[in-house]
Amino acid sequence: MTMPKLKQLSEQFTEGAIINNAWLTMGDAYLAEIVASGGCFDSVTLDLQHGLVDQESACACIRAIQSFGTYAFVRLPKLDPALIGLLLDFGIDGLILPQTNSAEDAERFVEACFYPPRGARSHGPNRLNLLVDRTPEGVALFCMIETMQGLESVGGIAEVDGLTGLFIGPGDLGIALGLGPGQDRSEPVYLEAKAAIQAAVVANAKVIGIHANTTEFALKMAAEGFQLVTTWVDSLAVQKSINAAGEKWRQGRSG
Ligand code: 3PY
Ligand code: MG
């Protein structure tokens, strides 16, 4: 399979694109192919923080996703320069750092993504050599804001040069605010925090993203100016589909 040539992801964001993102908690390359092949999603994110995705399966999935002209993101497990370097060497299109607590965290993240003198990345581009016209600047870099420290430091985090934008984790942010877990949320205290994050992004001409559990909610977020929106999650989709099939069967048998 030949990979279609695409604009780099950071260029898409600069041009105002809204990226419709699928989220994979299962690191299976066949599943990644099914999800990317439909052409419904602009990007697919592999969740290495909470998903069943290891380094090797992530690389197999990245190949599968990109072979259909879809961008591949990884949500990192933590700020790990070695893993970041490996994923960049492999040609990842975007990285999402969870639980960014400070501008220093964001600086260290950016540093891990660029070669000297801007950063401290080691050179060893491996698969990246096969992907033409890619630059380190083309990779989209997002810091998640989902902790109290991150919220308090959001202005400084948003200022960090080299960062594409901020990504809201509504579940962890809600817990940090004393609301408990949840997605697609609208509690006043959460909305206040979300507005502060949006303001920091606007003030620094960065991009904003958010995790959503449903397409309906993601559409609302896109209308608000969110440019990276998760609209579909594999485990939830499978669960929903199973429940719907089971319900249909029960209704058919009882009618
Ligand atoms: C959160 O909601 O906390 C997330 O990390 C979503 O991915
Ligand atoms: Mg989270």
Side-chain angles (χ1 to χ4, degrees):
M1 235 178 281
T2 311
M3 205 183 108
K5 199 159 169 248
L6 291 172
K7 275 185 194 168
Q8 293 186 97
L9 197 43
S10 70
E11 201 183 337
Q12 294 274 14
F13 284 121
T14 306
E15 290 177 3
I18 297 173
I19 299 294
N20 170 13
N21 176 58
W23 195 267
L24 293 192
T25 64
M26 294 176 251
D28 182 84
Y30 178 42
L31 173 63
E33 277 181 314
I34 294 171
V35 173
S37 67
C40 302
F41 303 112
D42 304 304
S43 67
V44 178
T45 298
L46 303 159
D47 187 359
L48 271 68
Q49 184 190 23
H50 292 299
L52 297 171
V53 192
D54 61 21
Q55 195 171 298
E56 204 168 317
S57 59
C59 288
C61 290
I62 292 166
R63 262 201 205 109
I65 294 162
Q66 291 180 337
S67 71
F68 290 98
T70 305
Y71 295 105
F73 269 99
V74 159
R75 194 247 300 261
L76 297 159
K78 61 177 181 175
L79 211 170
D80 174 351
L83 178 61
I84 290 171
L86 184 137
L87 291 166
L88 291 168
D89 291 348
F90 207 74
I92 194 74
D93 297 294
L95 292 170
I96 303 172
L97 178 70
Q99 297 190 301
T100 312
N101 288 328
S102 62
E104 290 73 32
D105 281 354
E107 292 278 7
R108 286 197 293 132
F109 176 41
V110 172
E111 187 176 288
C113 295
F114 286 91
Y115 297 121
R118 173 69 185 90
R121 179 180 166 196
S122 168
H123 189 255
N126 290 331
R127 179 172 178 262
L128 194 56
N129 279 329
L130 311 176
L131 310 173
V132 289
D133 297 338
R134 299 251 175 151
T135 63
E137 292 75 22
V139 179
L141 305 179
F142 283 85
C143 280
M144 289 191 75
I145 304 297
E146 52 179 356
T147 62
M148 278 317 286
Q149 298 100 307
L151 186 59
E152 282 159 13
S153 311
V154 71
I157 296 171
E159 275 177 18
V160 171
D161 187 38
L163 209 61
T164 307
L166 305 183
F167 189 87
I168 300 179
D172 278 313
L173 187 56
I175 291 170
L177 293 167
L179 302 170
Q183 299 286 330
D184 300 3
R185 56 200 321 162
S186 58
E187 300 93 334
V189 62
Y190 168 78
L191 291 181
E192 212 176 295
K194 176 170 154 266
I197 300 166
Q198 286 170 295
V201 164
V202 169
N204 290 281
K206 294 280 204 301
V207 172
I208 189 157
I210 191 164
H211 193 83
N213 268 357
T214 61
T215 311
E216 292 74 16
F217 195 81
L219 282 167
K220 273 196 213 161
M221 296 300 100
E224 271 189 33
F226 283 79
Q227 280 185 261
L228 175 60
V229 284
T230 296
T231 60
W232 186 90
V233 180
D234 58 356
S235 49
L236 297 178
V238 171
Q239 223 169 15
K240 249 190 242 170
S241 167
I242 289 167
N243 290 343
E247 185 53 30
K248 216 170 182 176
W249 173 258
R250 275 191 295 277
Q251 279 178 11
R253 294 294 295 159
S254 65

